[in-house]
Amino acid sequence: MSHIFTGVIVGGITAIIGLLCRKYPDLLSPFSLMSDEKKENVDFKAVGKAGCTILVTAGVAGFVLNLIFCATGLADIGITASILSVMLGCIILVSVIRKYDHNEKSGGKYMITAIFLSVLSITIAALLFSWSMPDSIEAGNESLDISGEYAISIKYDSIKSVELLDRLPEIKARTNGIGMANTLKGHFILDGIGRCRLYVNLKYRPLVHIETYSSEHIIFNTDSPQGTGGLYDRIVSAAGSR
């Protein structure tokens, strides 16, 4: 449920900022940095109305999109959609309020801001999409190889034990990793295990837990029980034959 609350928080804060813009439009950048003389050439009443409408709409849209995706089991996409909805609202806001600033030669700063927000939105979308994608897990002749941001190669002769888990132990801390709604990648501390590398999507079961002779723990799964089970069987066969 925490991913739903993320949508509530992101959407709610955006909507609240929109309501505040209606009453305090001069706090919007770049107006907050303007001199009193230049502020006289800005239609703040129109700015406040536009800011309120756009930001409240973006906040509500972000919340609704997050709720819809979460309800269909796509929580990571829901969070991404919520954030991008707010970013898109900011880009539209910058483009709209530009026409209410009647100061000469002021168009450039709005264009730069809009471009910056657009690039930032694309970057955030690309990162979130990349993080939500499953890592490639391959059982080779000598090792189990996991690609991605936290790639690792586990030699079969280094494996002390391997087991299937029905659920992930409670996470005590994330030390260096990615933790989205369902996707967990990187270094975490788990209850009863300690430090552990995770390559897990919480939507799917089972999970494979590997412990090496050097006391390193790795837990992973794939998006299908058959795929995870097949990797488990391959690891058991390869590690047990050495």
Side-chain angles (χ1 to χ4, degrees):
M1 296 294 291
S2 60
H3 40 277
I4 296 179
F5 291 129
T6 300
V8 173
I9 293 172
V10 172
I13 290 176
T14 304
I16 290 172
I17 292 175
L19 294 173
L20 289 174
C21 286
R22 186 65 182 264
K23 188 173 183 179
Y24 307 103
D26 56 328
L27 295 180
L28 281 173
S29 179
F31 304 130
S32 60
L33 302 177
M34 279 186 175
S35 64
D36 292 337
E37 181 180 355
K38 287 187 175 182
K39 285 183 179 181
E40 293 179 359
N41 296 319
V42 178
D43 185 352
F44 281 112
K45 184 176 181 180
V47 168
K49 184 177 180 180
C52 179
T53 301
I54 293 171
L55 292 180
V56 169
T57 300
V60 172
F63 165 71
V64 172
L65 286 172
N66 182 65
L67 192 63
I68 291 173
F69 281 115
C70 288
T72 55
L74 300 173
D76 290 337
I77 296 178
I79 292 175
T80 302
S82 179
I83 294 174
L84 291 183
S85 177
V86 172
M87 295 298 294
L88 179 60
C90 292
I91 294 171
I92 294 174
L93 178 60
V94 170
S95 301
V96 169
I97 64 176
R98 172 184 176 183
K99 66 181 180 180
Y100 301 121
D101 183 352
H102 304 300
N103 289 290
E104 294 184 3
K105 300 179 180 181
S106 62
K109 58 189 176 185
Y110 293 99
M111 181 66 70
I112 293 173
T113 301
I115 292 173
F116 171 77
L117 290 174
S118 298
V119 172
L120 182 61
S121 298
I122 293 172
T123 301
I124 291 174
L127 286 173
L128 292 175
F129 179 78
S130 173
W131 291 344
S132 66
M133 289 296 98
D135 293 313
S136 173
I137 305 175
E138 296 184 0
N141 293 328
E142 300 293 331
S143 64
L144 178 76
D145 301 308
I146 304 177
S147 65
E149 292 86 353
Y150 298 91
I152 186 174
S153 180
I154 309 164
K155 296 291 185 181
Y156 294 130
D157 58 12
S158 71
I159 295 177
K160 179 180 178 181
S161 66
V162 56
E163 63 177 337
L164 285 176
L165 303 177
D166 290 329
R167 65 178 183 83
L168 185 71
E170 180 183 352
I171 296 175
K172 294 297 186 181
R174 180 177 65 197
T175 57
N176 179 17
I178 298 166
M180 299 180 68
N182 291 316
T183 304
L184 301 172
K185 299 180 184 180
H187 303 269
F188 294 76
I189 298 176
L190 304 184
D191 183 35
I193 292 179
R195 295 186 179 278
C196 182
R197 284 176 176 260
L198 296 184
Y199 305 88
V200 170
N201 188 314
L202 297 176
K203 291 193 299 181
Y204 307 113
R205 299 290 188 276
L207 312 168
V208 177
H209 173 212
I210 294 174
E211 181 182 3
T212 68
Y213 285 107
S214 59
S215 298
E216 186 174 20
H217 293 266
I218 303 95
I219 297 179
F220 71 87
N221 68 348
T222 69
D223 59 3
S224 75
Q226 295 79 11
T228 302
L231 288 169
Y232 169 77
D233 292 338
R234 170 60 177 153
I235 296 167
V236 169
S237 176
S241 65
R242 296 171 183 271

